[in-house]
Amino acid sequence: MVGLLVLAPVAGAAKKAKLPKAPAGSRFYSPPKKLVRGKSGTPIWIRAARGLVRPPHAGRVVTVAYRSTSIRNRATTMTGTIALPKGKPPRKGWPVVTFGHVTTGGADNCAPSQVTAGNPERERMTRSDEVVGYLLAHRVAVARPDFEGIGTPGRHPYLIGRSLGRSMIDIVRAGRKLKLGLGRRWVAAGHSEGGMAALWAAKVGPRRAPGLAFRGTAAFAPASHISDIVELARNFKTVSPLTADFSALGGLILEGAAVAEPSLWQAYRDGGLSPEALGRMPDTQRLCLAELGGTDSLGGIAPGKLEGPKADQYLPSIYAVLDRNDPGRLKLPGVPVRLDQGADDLVVWESHTAEVASKLASAGADVTFEIWEGGTHENITDLEYAAGEAADWLIARLR
């Protein structure tokens, strides 16, 4: 019989929770089904986070497995970390930023909560540490979900907004039920895929957690216009170092669309994808982004050669899924939204983020949009660029 860890509420948090003792190693990420059943946004178990998982200026940091809802609307496990500032929480509890990470891949070892020095995704897993450390130093707690299917059972619904939004708010809800001192005030933030997650959290979160006080969302170079990028990539018919990332991301995009719309799996087998692409698609379940871009994986196939003889027949269905999840289509009336974009970003384009900003504003959001000269996809969350100003904006919303 496992021991019980008793955790009491703080700062008006939820009821006392009795959690099973968390197992060591990878078993932490696959709780038995009887523990997965239950209310979304409640913790399953926690353990102390050590090593590279700990961001700068953190006090206590825990890895948490929590109950959520899958893209198929079934009970599922998600994981992530919650970092607390040093010292005692204020009377009303720590204000919280839930922060979404950049694309790392969909396999289990792509979970940022599992980062190690030898992981090929180490740089991307820790890329936002400067902005997270800044928030912690200014007495704001930070929750960082791994996202559905990354680390935990099931496939990752890559760039599927509702799934991302659920992971972002449910880790906050779960954290409130632990003895961590989290308060009611929260905002969402994130980078790239995580930037899309932050915008969708603004849509999903307030309804999912009506008892909490949502104050706004900030996105660094949020992923958008994915159909346009896929259409462009179709023109690249030869393999080169410049196409490797297109093909790796293409595999993740195609998988995410099929996780959201399962009929696409048959479409892929029925000529939507080339035999070479079909042979490499299982790599998304065992390799992270850097490895997927290798010549022995999807990166060895030109983006335009991923498609099969019936691609034109099935692409409209794929684009429909991608377009439904584009953050530019969100209606966030009255929500404070901040977008930061690097002028030299070659992954998420300035023109795309500018259009997202315009569409959100037209739909009623209170949008702040800033372009950073010299900013790239890799450095936009550094203190040299947008980190400090964006973090100050978030902190102001939380007061």
Side-chain angles (χ1 to χ4, degrees):
M1 177 71 89
V2 294
L4 293 180
L5 177 64
V6 180
L7 300 152
V10 289
K15 299 174 183 178
K16 181 184 295 186
K18 294 182 179 180
L19 305 182
K21 183 178 179 181
S26 62
R27 290 188 302 132
F28 179 93
Y29 291 82
S30 299
K33 289 183 179 179
K34 66 180 181 180
L35 293 182
V36 178
R37 292 191 293 268
K39 186 178 179 181
S40 292
T42 56
I44 296 172
W45 50 39
I46 66 171
R47 67 186 184 192
R50 298 182 175 85
L52 293 174
V53 178
R54 293 181 56 85
H57 306 293
R60 185 183 180 193
V61 183
V62 297
T63 305
V64 57
Y66 57 98
R67 299 177 184 90
S68 189
T69 310
S70 76
I71 192 65
R72 306 255 63 84
N73 293 319
R74 296 170 182 157
T76 193
T77 303
M78 296 189 192
T79 54
T81 59
I82 300 175
L84 306 178
K86 296 174 181 177
K88 295 182 179 180
R91 182 175 60 85
K92 293 184 179 181
W94 299 116
V96 185
V97 174
T98 180
F99 198 101
H101 63 84
V102 299
T103 299
T104 55
D108 286 348
N109 63 322
C110 310
S113 68
Q114 298 185 35
V115 61
T116 61
N119 192 299
E121 292 301 315
R122 173 183 173 177
E123 187 277 326
R124 276 186 279 258
M125 288 176 169
T126 58
R127 184 177 291 176
S128 299
D129 274 4
E130 283 197 19
V131 66
V132 170
Y134 187 98
L135 289 163
L136 289 165
H138 288 77
R139 297 180 63 76
V140 175
V142 182
R144 303 169 92 174
D146 291 325
F147 300 150
E148 180 181 348
I150 305 181
T152 49
R155 292 178 181 268
H156 174 46
Y158 184 58
L159 299 181
I160 303 302
R162 197 160 299 278
S163 170
L164 294 170
R166 287 170 176 173
S167 70
M168 294 280 280
I169 182 55
D170 284 353
I171 193 172
V172 178
R173 297 167 71 202
R176 287 261 301 160
K177 293 175 173 64
L178 300 170
K179 192 178 179 180
L180 300 177
L182 301 185
R184 294 177 60 250
R185 295 164 295 165
W186 72 282
V187 293
H191 181 198
S192 196
E193 180 183 13
M196 175 189 277
L199 292 168
W200 272 91
K203 179 70 174 180
V204 173
R207 291 183 183 178
R208 204 163 171 86
L212 302 186
F214 175 64
R215 299 295 181 82
T217 191
F220 301 87
S224 72
H225 295 74
I226 305 303
S227 293
D228 293 346
I229 295 170
V230 172
E231 189 63 25
L232 172 66
R234 297 179 69 197
N235 296 309
F236 302 143
K237 303 295 186 181
T238 58
V239 175
S240 77
L242 297 177
T243 66
D245 285 346
F246 273 107
S247 295
L249 290 168
L252 293 172
I253 291 166
L254 291 165
E255 179 175 58
V259 173
E261 181 48 70
S263 64
L264 288 174
W265 291 119
Q266 183 58 43
Y268 296 162
R269 292 188 290 268
D270 189 40
L273 294 185
S274 67
E276 294 80 8
L278 284 172
R280 291 299 185 189
M281 283 297 287
D283 286 358
T284 61
Q285 292 301 292
R286 65 182 187 87
L287 302 178
C288 297
L289 181 58
E291 297 166 307
L292 286 172
T295 55
D296 57 347
S297 186
L298 287 162
I301 307 172
K305 297 294 181 68
L306 293 175
E307 61 185 53
K310 296 183 181 179
D312 287 337
Q313 177 180 337
Y314 295 119
L315 272 170
S317 296
I318 297 170
Y319 289 166
V321 174
L322 301 178
D323 292 345
R324 283 198 300 271
N325 289 278
D326 192 276
R329 298 198 173 195
L330 289 171
K331 304 289 192 294
L332 304 174
V335 174
V337 175
R338 180 185 174 98
L339 302 176
D340 286 278
Q341 173 67 40
D344 297 335
D345 193 327
L346 300 179
V347 179
V348 174
W349 302 343
E350 178 186 327
S351 60
H352 286 170
T353 304
E355 186 173 345
V356 171
S358 177
K359 287 183 175 180
L360 291 173
S362 295
D366 179 11
V367 178
T368 300
F369 178 40
E370 183 147 355
I371 299 169
W372 296 81
E373 294 300 324
T376 67
H377 205 64
E378 292 74 24
N379 68 24
I380 192 65
T381 56
D382 291 352
L383 289 172
E384 182 182 355
Y385 290 95
E389 192 168 314
D392 286 340
W393 184 92
L394 289 166
I395 293 164
R397 307 280 83 73
L398 288 166
R399 285 177 182 150

